[in-house]
Amino acid sequence: AGAAAEARFISSAKGKGLFATRNIRKGETIFVERPVVASQFLWNALYNYRACDHCLRALETAEENAQRLLGKSSLVLPHPEQCSIRKELHQQCPRCQVTYCSAECRQAALEQYHQVLCLGPSRDDPTHPLNKLQEAWRNMHYPPETSSIMLMARMVATIKQAKDKEWWIKAFSQFCNKTANEEEEIVHKLLGDKFKGQLELLRLLFTEALYDEYLSRWFTPEGFRSLFALVGTNGQGIGTSSLSQWVHACDALDLPMLEREELDAFIDQLYKDIEKESGEFLNCEGSGLYVLQSCCNHSCIPNAETSFPENNFLLHLTALEDIEAGEEICISYLDCCQRERSRHSRNKILRENYLFTCSCPKCLAQADDADVTSDEEEEGEGETDDAELEDEMTDV
């Protein structure tokens, strides 16, 4: 079957959109997409969320994952055969020891960007330019993380290694570009009030670590800001978890009723205990650039959603409703709680994080509602100000 969706230019104000090329049924996978480039978040990796350095597949077994999140090494999970992690397939880079889930990922990383970024024996040397860049980024961008300087580093490394450099530059130029003012707003959002000084520091460290004559424009103040804004605007959150894979597999087991009830109760309790210990940070998290997904516009009543059911960076776009040929496919940039709030509150979040005002059918229908947030919303107001800069889909 041909592609179920294609990107089309809508207008200079809206840019591109994604449209159905045929009728799509509710529940159908519209497409599965591999990112042009992806990278785990730096704090996430530092805190031992072990993921494949290329595809972000979680590397711990479900039991190890649960033990670490609980801080309890004695925990035993029932049905261990439902865990999908195959440790015998894991491989390391022989020079710098970063870990991959398979020989295929190690090879793919090496061919695309890892030759340039491999730290070799300098892996733990704090004075190495790449380590200095990562350290500076971590000091500017604390959890909850929404982006990574290493996504930009992998873009540069990819072009440095490529035989056909123009092809890759074209691939990256497909992503939405912003005006200079909008770029400043995005950088401000990511780096806060000190952004000019911080951006300049990052640019100097980035240049020291990665400068390339061919890409000299990316290393100028304007070019670097554009690159930074491109990643800030188009980066899609990726979340993987061997524990959630195991839970999905357990949910699908055909068990006698009593056993099913016991297993469900065990899983519910496990998640409650983990939340007490580790809060909301359950997944290996990172972000990636996806050509098709980045064309999806937002709607407060989306007809599709993204997820990562394969426990790696492969993004699945799934229809939430029947979608007719020619209809625009929209996802929501807001999580479920944010979508239930008033039009005014929703647009405040969208304006701050994505620099646009929504005109989806729901917002248009509520256009005459008063521009105030209700009292209970005011109380929750502080929590969403840092609303994930990326899509809600860090949950698997």
Side-chain angles (χ1 to χ4, degrees), residues 9-203:
F9 182 73
I10 302 175
S11 67
S12 53
K14 264 197 113 170
K16 289 187 258 192
L18 196 71
F19 293 84
T21 52
R22 57 170 172 80
N23 291 347
I24 297 168
R25 310 285 318 172
K26 178 178 178 174
E28 194 183 324
T29 300
I30 303 168
F31 60 71
V32 177
E33 186 175 15
R34 163 186 296 271
V36 194
V37 65
S39 180
Q40 188 180 1
F41 291 147
L42 293 178
W43 281 105
N44 191 262
L46 194 70
Y47 280 130
N48 282 326
Y49 287 75
R50 294 185 43 243
C52 172
D53 200 60
H54 182 64
C55 79
L56 267 75
R57 182 185 299 282
L59 297 174
E60 295 174 302
T61 62
E63 188 167 275
E64 289 169 335
N65 192 194
Q67 287 171 346
R68 178 174 56 79
L69 291 171
L70 264 182
K72 188 170 157 195
S73 56
S74 59
L75 175 84
V76 177
L77 288 188
H79 302 286
E81 75 290 344
Q82 297 305 314
C83 173
S84 60
I85 302 305
R86 299 283 163 266
K87 289 199 153 182
E88 66 279 7
L89 299 177
H90 295 177
Q91 291 204 354
Q92 287 188 318
C93 166
R95 292 190 62 237
C96 72
Q97 275 71 57
V98 297
T99 310
Y100 298 98
C101 68
S102 62
E104 290 75 24
C105 275
R106 181 166 79 92
Q107 196 53 35
L110 197 64
E111 282 170 14
Q112 189 186 330
Y113 55 81
H114 189 67
Q115 292 168 43
V116 168
L117 297 177
C118 181
L119 288 167
S122 307
R123 189 176 170 186
D124 300 317
D125 174 5
T127 65
H128 188 286
L130 272 170
N131 283 333
K132 281 174 19 190
L133 178 68
Q134 295 185 58
E135 179 63 18
W137 175 258
R138 276 196 299 266
N139 288 331
M140 293 174 196
H141 202 77
Y142 289 94
E145 297 174 272
T146 50
S147 194
S148 171
I149 195 79
M150 292 313 286
L151 202 56
M152 295 164 60
R154 285 186 178 182
M155 290 167 74
V156 170
T158 295
I159 295 171
K160 281 182 125 169
Q161 279 189 214
K163 287 191 179 66
D164 186 350
K165 298 183 191 302
E166 275 312 305
W167 186 89
W168 280 100
I169 287 182
K170 234 193 212 87
F172 291 130
S173 71
Q174 295 176 70
F175 291 98
C176 146
N177 291 312
K178 298 286 188 189
T179 64
N181 290 350
E182 289 175 321
E183 284 177 357
E184 293 218 344
E185 276 192 61
I186 295 160
V187 176
H188 211 287
K189 186 71 203 167
L190 279 167
L191 295 179
D193 293 335
K194 304 191 285 286
F195 91 88
K196 280 210 163 69
Q198 291 188 326
L199 192 66
E200 187 53 19
L201 171 66
L202 282 175
R203 185 180 74 85

Side-chain angles (χ1 to χ4, degrees), residues 186-228:
I186 295 160
V187 176
H188 211 287
K189 186 71 203 167
L190 279 167
L191 295 179
D193 293 335
K194 304 191 285 286
F195 91 88
K196 280 210 163 69
Q198 291 188 326
L199 192 66
E200 187 53 19
L201 171 66
L202 282 175
R203 185 180 74 85
L204 294 171
L205 290 169
F206 196 74
T207 305
E208 184 192 352
L210 292 157
Y211 185 77
D212 187 72
E213 193 57 43
Y214 191 81
L215 291 171
S216 56
R217 199 194 147 272
W218 281 9
F219 294 89
T220 64
E222 298 72 37
F224 186 67
R225 187 187 61 201
S226 293
L227 186 61
F228 202 87

Side-chain angles (χ1 to χ4, degrees), residues 183-295:
E183 284 177 357
E184 293 218 344
E185 276 192 61
I186 295 160
V187 176
H188 211 287
K189 186 71 203 167
L190 279 167
L191 295 179
D193 293 335
K194 304 191 285 286
F195 91 88
K196 280 210 163 69
Q198 291 188 326
L199 192 66
E200 187 53 19
L201 171 66
L202 282 175
R203 185 180 74 85
L204 294 171
L205 290 169
F206 196 74
T207 305
E208 184 192 352
L210 292 157
Y211 185 77
D212 187 72
E213 193 57 43
Y214 191 81
L215 291 171
S216 56
R217 199 194 147 272
W218 281 9
F219 294 89
T220 64
E222 298 72 37
F224 186 67
R225 187 187 61 201
S226 293
L227 186 61
F228 202 87
L230 180 143
V231 167
T233 311
N234 297 282
Q236 152 76 44
I238 301 168
T240 63
S241 158
S242 38
L243 183 62
S244 77
Q245 290 283 106
W246 173 83
V247 169
H248 284 309
C250 286
D251 285 346
L253 289 174
D254 193 7
L255 298 172
M257 199 170 97
L258 198 62
E259 215 178 313
R260 163 56 57 201
E261 283 172 3
E262 271 182 9
L263 183 58
D264 287 350
F266 173 84
I267 290 171
D268 287 346
Q269 190 56 48
L270 178 65
Y271 271 115
K272 282 193 189 107
D273 294 344
I274 284 175
E275 190 169 352
K276 273 198 207 102
E277 185 66 32
S278 296
E280 67 209 272
F281 298 112
L282 302 184
N283 302 329
C284 295
E285 290 186 1
S287 62
L289 295 176
Y290 295 83
V291 174
L292 272 179
Q293 173 275 335
S294 74
C295 297

